[in-house]
């Protein structure tokens, strides 16, 4: 059997570990051959390939990013896109496809499965917002990067008696903000799931200053105040219909300065959260996902996705994993709110 592998959407630490695990088990145990598709769904759409064998995956475990490249290509937005993918898979002799990605990449995989393509999914997103799995790899690394940044910002904030706003990724789900903010001792955490009251945020900031501490506010890029919508970098949309977010941190800094009279500065972590070496936990999870993904291919479990449930790796339908996003429960946020201010 010849198996195609692709990585789509935003890159994250751990992608290479999945590719490595798939090949390292698939070649010696099942006798499969592997073909990597370049740049997400653009690979099978345009027949852009990269050979994958055991020498090609050596040394990948600690390496960030993806050796296959990625993109936000949506074949369903391209004329005859699905037909081209089906034709290219047949011409290349690819019998099955392992798609590694988030909601959009796996959403395409779900539709292709329904159209007869043999697909197995592996969940990937630093936002940790995919239903069906307790955690996705990349998330732990992103949280650790954000937490270290918050730790460093505490000292400079106190030296200059400033309020510092840390803007982290999180379009629809505030998992990174919540975890890193709690771990870093933030004075406030603002997430997309709960619209915030800017007056309340300013009271938290002022209470922190009264105690002779400089406040740190951690905010997801998709967080919204009660009286306005999300802040956009531009109105342009990508192939999946998503607008580009960014700027809520600067908006917050301006509001805090205007309402409290205190100096405020913003640090946008951006793609720093996606880059670099994966943590041990993400290497472990990505490796287990890869091993179970190739097992699913061998079993013919098409239309399924690997998922972490407790400490076990299970298979769940792709349709279940992509039908809705996993967002922060208000009760969990309320636990964190106890420490604000």
């Amino acid at each position: 059997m010849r198996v195609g592998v692709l990585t789509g959407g935003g890159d994250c630490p751990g992608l290479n570990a999945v590719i490595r695990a798939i090949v390292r088990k698939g070649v010696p145990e099942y006798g499969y051959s592997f073909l990597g598709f370049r740049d997400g769904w653009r690979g099978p759409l345009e027949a852009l390939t990269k050979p994958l064998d055991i020498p090609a995956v050596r040394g990948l475990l600690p390496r960030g990013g993806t050796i296959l490249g990625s993109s936000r290509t949506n074949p369903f937005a391209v004329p005859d896109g699905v037909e081209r993918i089906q034709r290219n898979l047949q011409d290349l002799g690819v019998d099955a496809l392992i798609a590694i990605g988030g909601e959009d990449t796996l959403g395409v995989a779900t539709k292709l499965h329904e159209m007869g393509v043999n697909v197995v999914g592996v969940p990937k997103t630093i936002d940790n917002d995919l239903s069906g799995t307790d955690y996705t790899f990349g998330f732990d690394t992103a949280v650790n990067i954000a937490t270290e940044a918050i730790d460093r910002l505490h000292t400079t904030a106190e030296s200059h008696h400033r309020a510092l706003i840390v803007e982290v990724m999180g379009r629809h789900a505030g998992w990174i903000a919540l975890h890193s903010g709690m771990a870093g001792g933030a004075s406030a955490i603002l997430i997309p799931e709960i619209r915030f009251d800017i007056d309340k945020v300013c009271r938290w900031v002022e209470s922190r200053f009264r105690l002779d501490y400089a406040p740190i506010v951690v905010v997801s890029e998709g967080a919204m105040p009660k009286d306005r919508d999300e802040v956009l970098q531009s109105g342009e949309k990508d192939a999946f219909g998503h607008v580009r977010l960014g700027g809520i941190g600067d908006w917050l800094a301006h509001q805090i300065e205007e309402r409290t009279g205190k100096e405020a500065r913003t640090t946008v972590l951006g793609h720093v959260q996606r880059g670099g070496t994966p943590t041990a936990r993400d290497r472990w999870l990505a490796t287990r996902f890869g091993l179970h993904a190739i097992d699913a291919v061998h079993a013919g479990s098409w239309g399924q996705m690997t998922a972490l449930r407790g400490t076990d790796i299970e298979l769940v339908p792709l349709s279940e994993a992509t039908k809705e996003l996993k967002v922060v429960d208000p009760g969990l946020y309320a636990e964190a709110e106890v420490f604000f201010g």
Side-chain angles (χ1 to χ4, degrees):
M1 180 182 284
R2 197 177 203 192
V3 182
V5 181
L6 67 83
T7 55
D11 70 307
C12 78
L15 282 167
N16 285 323
V18 180
I19 298 168
R20 172 182 176 269
I22 289 169
V23 175
R24 296 261 315 191
K25 185 171 187 178
V27 171
E29 186 158 334
Y30 297 128
Y32 295 164
S33 63
F34 293 89
L35 188 66
F37 284 105
R38 303 294 303 263
D39 302 335
W41 288 112
R42 184 181 298 153
L45 187 66
E46 301 179 9
L48 305 175
T49 64
K50 175 186 178 73
L52 286 179
D53 53 19
I54 288 180
V57 300
R58 286 185 181 137
L60 290 187
L61 198 57
R63 183 173 170 182
T66 165
I67 61 168
L68 295 179
S70 190
S71 73
R72 296 197 57 75
T73 302
N74 181 0
F76 287 92
V78 177
D80 301 322
V82 174
E83 291 78 10
R84 286 165 58 185
I85 286 178
Q86 292 173 320
R87 183 170 59 251
N88 286 334
L89 292 178
Q90 183 175 3
D91 292 346
L92 292 166
V94 174
D95 305 294
L97 191 60
I98 298 176
I100 311 166
E103 58 168 319
D104 295 323
T105 300
L106 295 184
V108 170
T110 303
K111 293 178 182 178
L112 288 177
H113 164 66
E114 293 168 353
M115 301 176 74
V117 177
N118 295 335
V119 182
V120 168
V122 174
K124 174 277 318 173
T125 167
I126 67 170
D127 291 335
N128 197 42
D129 59 359
L130 270 176
S131 296
T133 183
D134 291 348
Y135 286 97
T136 53
F137 65 88
F139 173 68
D140 187 67
T141 303
V143 168
N144 275 275
I145 290 169
T147 301
E148 181 181 356
I150 294 167
D151 288 345
R152 291 176 180 274
L153 289 170
H154 271 295
T155 57
T156 186
E158 290 172 7
S159 296
H160 292 277
H161 312 293
R162 289 172 175 159
L164 287 186
I165 292 85
V166 184
E167 183 180 318
V168 299
M169 286 185 170
R171 173 180 294 274
H172 301 297
W175 293 108
I176 295 177
L178 183 64
H179 282 240
S180 64
M182 288 187 70
S187 306
I189 301 169
L190 311 178
I191 61 177
E193 292 87 341
I194 301 173
R195 285 181 175 261
F196 63 88
D197 183 339
I198 185 62
D199 291 327
K200 190 175 185 179
V201 173
C202 288
R203 287 197 296 271
W204 284 333
V205 167
E206 289 175 322
S207 70
R208 189 72 170 171
F209 275 120
R210 283 195 297 270
L211 295 172
D212 265 345
Y213 287 101
I216 301 285
V217 178
V218 179
V219 57
S220 299
E221 61 184 344
M224 293 177 285
K226 289 183 175 180
D227 58 352
R228 63 167 294 164
D229 292 330
E230 55 199 3
V231 179
L232 309 179
Q233 284 193 9
S234 72
E236 297 180 4
K237 295 183 179 181
D238 65 17
F240 291 94
H242 300 306
V243 292
R244 188 177 178 186
L245 300 181
I248 185 63
D250 286 335
W251 182 86
L252 268 171
H254 175 75
Q255 292 295 318
I256 288 171
E257 285 192 341
E258 188 176 77
R259 293 165 185 258
T260 69
K262 300 292 186 179
E263 192 176 8
R265 293 287 185 273
T266 301
T267 298
V268 181
L269 296 186
H271 287 78
V272 170
Q273 297 158 90
R274 293 193 181 280
T277 303
T279 61
R281 178 177 174 80
D282 278 341
R283 298 184 203 189
W284 168 84
L285 181 56
T287 297
R288 293 187 70 196
F289 276 167
L291 296 175
H292 283 262
I294 195 60
D295 286 345
V297 168
H298 185 67
S301 300
W302 313 125
Q304 301 289 306
M305 181 191 84
T306 57
L308 180 68
R309 298 284 181 88
T311 58
D312 297 328
I313 304 296
E314 301 177 2
L315 293 179
V316 299
L318 276 168
S319 56
E320 175 188 330
T322 56
K323 67 181 179 181
E324 62 182 4
L325 292 177
K326 180 179 67 183
V327 296
V328 175
D329 184 275
L332 187 59
Y333 181 78
E335 291 179 11
E337 201 171 15
V338 172
F339 296 100
F340 294 172

